[in-house]
Amino acid sequence: MLIKLAWKSTLNRKASVTLTLVTIAISVMLLLAVERVRQDAKSSFANTISGTDLIVGARTGDIQLLLSSVFRIGHANNAVQWQSYEYIKAQRGVAWSIPISLGDSHKGFAVLGTDDNYFKHYQYGKKQHLTFKAGRAFHNPQEVVLGATVAKQLGYKLGQKIVISHGMGNTSFHHHDDNPLVISGILAATGTPVDKTLHVPLSAIEKMHSTGHSKTSRQISRPQHTANHDDEHEHEHEHEHEHEHEHEHGSTNNSALLHNLNSTPGDLIGSTKQITAFLLGFESPLYTLQVRRNINLYKDEPLLAIMPGVTLRELWAMLDIVEKILLLITLAVVLISLLGMLTSLLATLNQRRRELAILRSVGARPWHIFTLLVSEAILITVLGCIFGVALFYALLIAAQSALQSQFGVVLSFSPLSAYELTLLSVIIGAGTLIGAIPAARAYFYSLADGMQIKT
């Protein structure tokens, strides 16, 4: 009877109860959204690379090597000699190796030089291999494989020719337009930096740079008094030439497309002398620590070997303060919404004195009144949590694809976890305690207090 009475009493105060419900629902949605993004961002971050035992590069900081080789952030200070790479990959226990060469770009997207082992052994997520949405891996130095985001944002298709630029960034003063590359494949989306990367053979990098260096040396030998004017003119000319060049190759006909994709396999390594870093996988985890120690003590050149899983956890620990601040802000929003409910209940309590006195006159005891008001608070809080969960899943559906494509965060559309359910139970418990405050005041109201006519 008290529950039924609490429901009817709540419906009788539609305006104030609706505002309280909306406030609680929005705060619950924000709390669950922040928590889900925090957990899934951590998972996506940790799963950027998997199945790789060691990342080896020139001696620098662990996190700097991880950021440059995996996330394409920053630059490696030094390179690794190809002889060192050949020596280390021949060590006992090494199952596979992937060379990586960075330093070029295309319209702001990183270009990564590698070999066919990249498509065979590189893994992300829960040891998932790379798959092709269209086309195939490169066969020779004239081909390039695009990540999903690159192809989508730039509108590229198989068979088109593109021009790589020297240096990282959106603006480059030197384009390798004398060595255009044909798109042979487009990778399926992974939610990792692979999606924003163009993959080319190491021999293509070596070929472009050997041509680029000779051109650069000719430019340096020009007279000094004409350098600035010529640079500006050449920069404009290169941009115009690049657009014309891409427009020309963008209109590739079907016969040319078929010819490009059926190209003859060629040398993917060439005469490469240096690389940025390389990945190693071992036949057994027992070899990892031993080889890592040998690499860090390598005498021919200063090298550093890191375990990506360990370094990823160290990097995320540096961001721990940020996620704690987000969680505290969201909890503050929930607390404010509950305090709003308390304000609403206290404000309506004086208006309900006569109602409560009538209940007392027909036999309701003080504990009945207390239970009635607490039940109303619980009912409002539970309904707010239910609507908040519904809003949370609606937001999840709306933002899932955008977060994956823009930030690489893969949100899991799954039932509420035990931790999330615990958060909801804490909110309901807090709503019950807050509802007990006006209920305690009503408990001590006398029958005559509510029946008096106040002037």
Side-chain angles (χ1 to χ4, degrees), residues 99-172:
I100 292 175
S101 180
L102 297 166
D104 291 325
S105 64
H106 176 72
K107 296 186 177 181
F109 292 103
V111 173
L112 183 146
T114 185
D115 60 13
D116 53 353
N117 282 333
Y118 183 85
F119 305 104
K120 295 177 183 177
H121 301 294
Y122 188 91
Q123 297 178 23
Y124 68 97
K126 298 180 180 179
K127 294 191 175 181
Q128 297 172 265
H129 287 273
L130 299 175
T131 58
F132 281 84
K133 180 181 179 182
R136 53 159 175 78
F138 44 65
H139 282 172
N140 54 57
Q142 288 75 45
E143 295 179 343
V144 57
V145 173
L146 307 185
T149 302
V150 179
K152 182 178 179 181
Q153 291 191 7
L154 300 182
Y156 288 157
K157 298 179 181 179
L158 295 180
Q160 281 186 274
K161 289 187 178 181
I162 62 174
V163 175
I164 303 302
S165 302
H166 183 67
M168 304 293 288
N170 293 315
T171 302
S172 176

Side-chain angles (χ1 to χ4, degrees), residues 153-380:
Q153 291 191 7
L154 300 182
Y156 288 157
K157 298 179 181 179
L158 295 180
Q160 281 186 274
K161 289 187 178 181
I162 62 174
V163 175
I164 303 302
S165 302
H166 183 67
M168 304 293 288
N170 293 315
T171 302
S172 176
F173 292 93
H174 179 72
H175 306 288
H176 301 294
D177 50 2
D178 49 348
N179 290 291
L181 302 178
V182 179
I183 300 173
S184 67
I186 298 174
L187 294 171
T190 64
T192 70
V194 173
D195 297 343
K196 299 181 179 181
T197 305
L198 294 86
H199 308 84
V200 302
L202 286 171
S203 53
I205 296 287
E206 188 270 336
K207 182 179 179 182
M208 287 185 291
H209 284 182
S210 61
T211 306
H213 290 323
S214 61
K215 180 181 291 187
T216 303
S217 63
R218 290 195 302 270
Q219 291 172 350
I220 293 176
S221 63
R222 292 176 301 175
Q224 184 65 31
H225 67 277
T226 61
N228 294 334
H229 176 73
D230 289 349
D231 283 343
E232 293 177 2
H233 178 72
E234 182 174 340
H235 179 49
E236 294 175 358
H237 175 70
E238 282 179 349
H239 276 291
E240 293 174 359
H241 184 66
E242 179 189 6
H243 293 314
E244 293 173 0
H245 191 74
E246 291 181 356
H247 177 72
E248 175 186 350
H249 293 294
S251 58
T252 308
N253 56 35
N254 292 333
S255 61
L257 176 62
L258 183 62
H259 173 74
N260 289 331
L261 295 184
N262 290 335
S263 58
T264 304
D267 182 15
L268 301 180
I269 304 299
S271 58
T272 301
K273 295 180 175 61
Q274 293 180 333
I275 55 176
T276 305
F278 58 94
L279 314 182
L280 292 177
F282 295 96
E283 297 173 357
S284 170
L286 299 176
Y287 293 105
T288 304
L289 294 177
Q290 178 184 351
V291 176
R292 182 189 181 193
R293 180 177 180 275
N294 293 338
I295 292 174
N296 290 335
L297 297 176
Y298 188 63
K299 295 181 179 179
D300 289 358
E301 63 175 314
L303 298 178
L304 174 67
I306 63 172
M307 303 173 69
V310 175
T311 309
L312 279 170
R313 286 192 290 271
E314 292 177 358
L315 182 57
W316 187 261
M318 296 173 61
L319 305 175
D320 185 58
I321 185 65
V322 177
E323 59 175 321
K324 286 183 178 179
I325 290 174
L326 286 175
L327 187 60
L328 286 175
I329 292 174
T330 312
L331 289 175
V333 173
V334 174
L335 179 60
I336 291 172
S337 67
L338 292 176
L339 290 177
M341 182 180 71
L342 173 62
T343 303
S344 175
L345 292 175
L346 289 174
T348 58
L349 186 61
N350 286 330
Q351 302 173 6
R352 300 179 64 186
R353 283 175 178 267
R354 185 175 295 275
E355 172 192 341
L356 298 177
I358 293 173
L359 290 175
R360 292 287 302 277
S361 68
V362 295
R365 297 180 177 275
W367 68 269
H368 286 132
I369 302 299
F370 180 87
T371 305
L372 174 65
L373 295 182
V374 171
S375 299
E376 290 179 8
I378 294 175
L379 183 60
I380 294 172

Side-chain angles (χ1 to χ4, degrees), residues 41-63:
K42 185 176 182 179
S43 177
S44 299
F45 189 79
N47 292 333
T48 301
I49 183 172
S50 65
T52 296
D53 296 312
L54 289 180
I55 300 176
V56 184
R59 188 166 296 170
T60 181
D62 291 15
I63 293 178

Side-chain angles (χ1 to χ4, degrees), residues 21-88:
L21 275 176
V22 170
T23 306
I24 294 176
I26 292 176
S27 62
V28 168
M29 177 197 69
L30 289 175
L31 178 63
L32 293 177
V34 168
E35 180 59 27
R36 181 64 62 91
V37 169
R38 186 179 70 89
Q39 292 292 341
D40 289 347
K42 185 176 182 179
S43 177
S44 299
F45 189 79
N47 292 333
T48 301
I49 183 172
S50 65
T52 296
D53 296 312
L54 289 180
I55 300 176
V56 184
R59 188 166 296 170
T60 181
D62 291 15
I63 293 178
Q64 183 179 353
L65 176 58
L66 179 74
L67 290 176
S68 62
S69 60
V70 176
F71 293 93
R72 327 284 191 250
I73 299 175
H75 303 277
N77 295 328
N78 295 302
V80 178
Q81 298 300 318
W82 184 257
Q83 294 86 345
S84 300
Y85 166 69
E86 291 281 357
Y87 173 78
I88 293 172

